[in-house]
Structure formats: C-alpha cells, structure tokens
Amino acid sequence: VLIWGSQSTINFLSERKSPTRFVHQKPLYQAGYTSPTLIEEFLSKLETAPPEMIIDTYHPSTPFVAVDDAGNCSYPLKRHPQDMDSVFKFVCTHYHRVDYLGKDHWLVLQRNRQD
C-alpha cells in the first residue's frame, strides 16, 4: 500500500512497509531538492513492484490525481513539478477508484486487474 501524502503513521500502525523510500512525497515537491532523477527513482519503484492500493491522504503540499464518478482520472490542478506528470500518468493508467475513507474522504485506488 502506498500512502500518498504525509501520513506515514499508517504504514507503522498497519505494519506495512512503504513501497518506496519516499514514505511521504513532500520531498518530491520541494524546489531545490527534487529532481527528475528522484522522481524517476520513485516511478521506477512503482513500476517494478506496483502497490495493490494507493491511499491519498490529501495534503495541499502534495497534490494528487482526482478521479470523478465516471472513473475519469485527471492530474492535479495545483502546481506540481512537471516531472510528476509521469507518476500521475502511471497512476491514471494502472489504478481505479474504489472508495473514499473516513471523514476526510481519503481517495482509495486499487490496481487494475489486467495489470
């Protein structure tokens, strides 16, 4: 399970490792730190061993994809590093919305079965 945002306590409490070294993705959005190489590393881990689920815990500093009721996936409107488009394309291509969790309506995506 990939927890998108900054709620790494979910991994700890569920005793599940993050699928990448980026336990939360805020560093990938930081000017002066992030780079195409780091984003490619992140994407490569997702492609090599795609998590069964992705949970977007919604944090304004780490905008994520949106999926409407018809299942259409779109990239965040809020500014993000251009290189993250490859990550969003991967997510939109290989995952679908299954539900929202809790009072904060965290988006839950599951890997497509044909993948």
Side-chain angles (χ1 to χ4, degrees):
V1 176
L2 173 67
I3 307 300
W4 191 275
S6 58
Q7 298 291 335
S8 58
T9 55
I10 294 170
N11 294 93
F12 176 76
L13 293 173
S14 65
E15 298 180 4
R16 293 180 180 264
K17 291 178 68 174
S18 173
T20 77
R21 73 180 176 108
F22 296 97
V23 178
H24 49 84
Q25 296 72 43
K26 192 168 184 175
L28 297 174
Y29 287 81
Q30 295 298 312
Y33 174 79
T34 197
S35 68
T37 303
L38 288 176
I39 293 172
E40 179 56 36
E41 174 193 337
F42 178 68
L43 177 60
S44 177
K45 283 291 194 176
L46 296 179
E47 291 172 332
T48 302
E52 182 63 29
M53 302 185 97
I54 300 173
I55 300 174
D56 176 19
T57 62
Y58 182 72
H59 193 279
S61 65
T62 56
F64 191 56
V65 300
V67 183
D68 66 20
D69 290 339
N72 300 309
C73 186
S74 60
Y75 299 0
L77 298 176
K78 186 176 177 186
R79 187 172 174 204
H80 58 275
Q82 189 66 32
D83 297 309
M84 288 297 284
D85 283 351
S86 60
V87 173
F88 300 141
K89 180 179 180 182
F90 175 79
V91 171
C92 286
T93 301
H94 298 283
Y95 289 83
H96 64 278
R97 186 184 77 192
V98 292
D99 207 350
Y100 290 98
L101 288 177
K103 65 178 177 59
D104 294 323
H105 300 280
W106 290 352
L107 174 64
V108 179
L109 301 175
Q110 185 170 25
R111 190 164 46 119
N112 299 333
R113 290 292 169 221
Q114 66 270 21
D115 290 340

